[in-house]
């Protein structure tokens, strides 16, 4: 009996323990492996945290604020050399992007000081910095950028002819890869018309340019045909770099009635040296752009490099902020050209500019 009583006591104790355990688990029927029913509040960094709260960006991107999605952009600018035309293009580009993106865009700038080899070093630095877009201001920076990357969008400006600069056959107006931009090519036929209008009795026209700039060679190739149609004898006088500008300019002046200088960065950086040769020799210069004309020329068919750079900045905004495909963007050109004359040089050479020409503004 005692053993039976002890067995009944043990069974009764076990039954009570099971009953207590059942009561403790009666609060729910969820899977034991599921997460707790309580949840944390989403942070404001969640993708949908701004729902119903309105625009939280710093400002409208198109009205001078930062990027609408809060993104920031770094743009690398490689400029071949410092002179007025390229400086204006760079400034126009920066102004356009800053007006549209505000503090959301920053710039890394490098000037190659006229040395093409420096362009590659500058571009390599941009790649190391992880820039979002590259502005190549002039042909040598464009060529360096094209050789360095096929991924980062590249926009050129102050490029005369992209087909020549990038060795493209069957040019259609679009580069077709990660490159687009703007061209500073003024109508070469109209520049030939200007030269003939001002100097119809001249016989020998000298073309003065840098042989190391492909776009200068291209311009000389094209304008030669137009000048020969007027009956001029055309000769080329090419310098290789800054060191022989003066000597080659002297040879050109000795053998020419008029000199034509295309849009040429080396010439633009050495207008004083050229002026010191041609003005004493009494030989007028028709220039491909206003910066050269203001230094050593008498007239030009001018474009605005600031406007050209600004247009390039607008293209950059479309790529960065709106996801435009650079490979489908056609090369854009200056919307208008203006006939201008250098009053001081015209007076020094006793030249009266034709009606309708505007004076080049001097500081």
């Amino acid at each position: 009996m005692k053993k039976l009583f002890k067995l009944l006591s043990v069974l009764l104790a076990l039954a009570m323990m099971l009953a207590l355990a059942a009561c403790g688990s009666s609060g729910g029927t969820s899977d034991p492996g599921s997460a707790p029913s309580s949840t944390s509040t989403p942070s404001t960094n969640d993708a949908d945290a701004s729902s119903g709260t309105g625009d939280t960006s710093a400002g409208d991107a198109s009205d001078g604020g930062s990027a609408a999605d809060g993104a920031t952009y770094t743009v690398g600018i490689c400029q071949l050399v410092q002179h007025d035309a390229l400086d204006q293009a760079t400034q126009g580009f920066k102004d356009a992007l800053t007006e549209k993106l505000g503090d959301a865009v920053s710039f890394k700038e490098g000037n190659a000081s006229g040395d093409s080899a420096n362009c590659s070093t500058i571009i390599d630095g941009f790649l190391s910095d992880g820039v979002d877009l590259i502005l190549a201001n002039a042909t040598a920076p464009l060529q360096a950028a094209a050789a360095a990357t096929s991924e980062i969008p590249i926009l050129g400006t102050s490029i005369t002819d992209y087909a020549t600069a990038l060795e493209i056959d069957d040019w259609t107006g679009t580069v077709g890869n990660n490159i687009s931009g703007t061209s500073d090519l003024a109508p070469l036929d109209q520049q030939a018309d200007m030269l003939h209008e001002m100097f119809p009795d001249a016989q020998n026209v000298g073309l003065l340019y840098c042989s190391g700039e492909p776009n200068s060679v291209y311009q000389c190739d094209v304008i030669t045909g137009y000048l020969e149609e007027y009956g001029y004898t055309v000769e080329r006088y090419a310098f290789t770099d800054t060191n022989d500008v003066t000597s080659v300019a002297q040879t050109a002046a000795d053998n020419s009635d008029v000199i034509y200088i295309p849009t040429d960065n080396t010439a633009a950086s050495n207008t004083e040296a050229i002026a010191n040769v041609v003005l004493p020799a009494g030989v007028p210069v028709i220039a491909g752009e206003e910066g050269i004309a203001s230094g050593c020329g008498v007239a030009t068919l001018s474009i605005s490099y600031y406007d050209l750079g600004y247009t390039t900045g607008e293209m950059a905004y479309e790529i960065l902020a709106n996801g435009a495909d650079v490979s489908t963007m056609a090369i854009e050109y200056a919307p208008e050209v203006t006939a201008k004359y250098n009053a001081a040089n015209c007076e020094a050479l006793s030249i009266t500019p034709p009606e309708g020409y505007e004076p080049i503004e001097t500081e």
Side-chain angles (χ1 to χ4, degrees):
M1 286 296 289
K2 290 183 178 179
K3 290 182 178 180
L4 180 59
F5 180 79
K6 289 181 178 180
L7 179 59
L8 290 172
S9 299
V10 171
L11 292 173
L12 180 60
L14 288 171
M16 293 177 64
M17 292 174 63
L18 290 172
L20 289 172
C23 290
S25 63
S26 63
T29 59
S30 63
D31 184 344
S34 64
S37 60
S38 63
T39 58
S40 60
T41 302
S43 71
T44 56
N45 291 325
D46 289 347
D48 60 353
S50 62
S51 298
T53 61
D55 185 5
T56 59
S57 63
D60 184 347
S62 64
D63 292 328
S66 60
D69 60 358
T72 58
Y73 310 99
T74 303
V75 175
I77 300 175
C78 182
Q79 181 172 317
L80 176 61
V81 67
Q82 183 175 4
H83 67 68
D84 189 53
L86 299 189
D87 292 347
Q88 288 183 40
T90 292
Q91 191 61 53
F93 176 81
K94 292 169 62 177
D95 286 352
L97 271 182
T98 302
E99 287 174 15
K100 293 179 176 295
L101 292 173
D103 294 337
V105 63
S106 60
F107 303 97
K108 293 181 178 294
E109 300 186 54
N111 192 303
S113 301
D115 189 340
S116 298
N118 291 338
C119 295
S120 296
T121 302
I122 293 169
I123 298 296
D124 288 343
F126 292 162
L127 268 60
S128 297
D129 293 335
V131 299
D132 299 295
L133 183 142
I134 294 172
L135 174 71
N137 192 349
T139 299
L142 179 71
Q143 293 171 329
T149 178
S150 60
E151 301 296 330
I152 298 173
I154 299 167
L155 291 178
T157 193
S158 312
I159 312 294
T160 304
D161 182 65
Y162 283 77
T164 300
L166 299 174
E167 298 182 351
I168 300 173
D169 296 326
D170 301 322
W171 176 247
T172 63
T174 302
V175 177
N177 50 25
N178 63 320
I179 299 172
S180 188
T182 56
S183 169
D184 62 356
L185 179 62
L188 292 169
D189 56 340
Q190 294 181 39
Q191 292 188 348
D193 293 343
M194 168 181 281
L195 188 149
H196 185 256
E197 180 183 29
M198 294 186 69
F199 308 105
D201 298 327
Q203 295 181 344
N204 300 306
V205 177
L207 307 183
L208 182 63
Y209 64 101
C210 178
S211 60
E213 297 190 30
N215 282 317
S216 297
V217 176
Y218 166 79
Q219 292 171 83
C220 289
D221 289 344
V222 174
I223 202 168
T224 293
Y226 294 127
L227 292 171
E228 288 178 342
E229 288 179 3
Y230 277 118
Y232 295 117
T233 298
V234 181
E235 296 290 340
R236 298 192 183 203
Y237 302 91
F239 46 83
T240 56
D241 55 34
T242 299
N243 295 323
D244 60 344
V245 167
T246 298
S247 61
V248 174
Q250 187 63 64
T251 302
D254 291 342
N255 294 280
S256 307
D257 300 315
V258 184
I259 290 174
Y260 173 78
I261 302 178
T263 301
D264 184 287
N265 292 300
T266 307
S269 300
N270 291 273
T271 56
E272 183 177 357
I274 297 172
N276 289 339
V277 171
V278 299
L279 293 179
V283 179
V285 169
I286 298 295
E289 58 94 7
E290 185 174 332
I292 297 174
S294 66
C296 62
V298 295
T300 183
L301 198 61
S302 179
I303 67 170
S304 167
Y305 276 83
Y306 179 88
D307 291 346
L308 199 69
Y310 195 95
T311 297
T312 317
E314 293 178 321
M315 296 173 72
Y317 172 74
E318 291 301 321
I319 294 168
L320 294 172
N322 294 332
D325 183 357
V326 63
S327 70
T328 65
M329 301 176 78
I331 300 303
E332 298 194 27
Y333 295 81
E336 59 184 39
V337 293
T338 305
K340 292 188 175 183
Y341 69 95
N342 182 321
N345 288 351
C346 283
E347 182 178 357
L349 298 176
S350 300
I351 294 171
T352 301
E355 290 290 330
Y357 282 45
E358 298 181 5
I360 295 173
E361 295 181 4
T362 59
E363 296 181 356

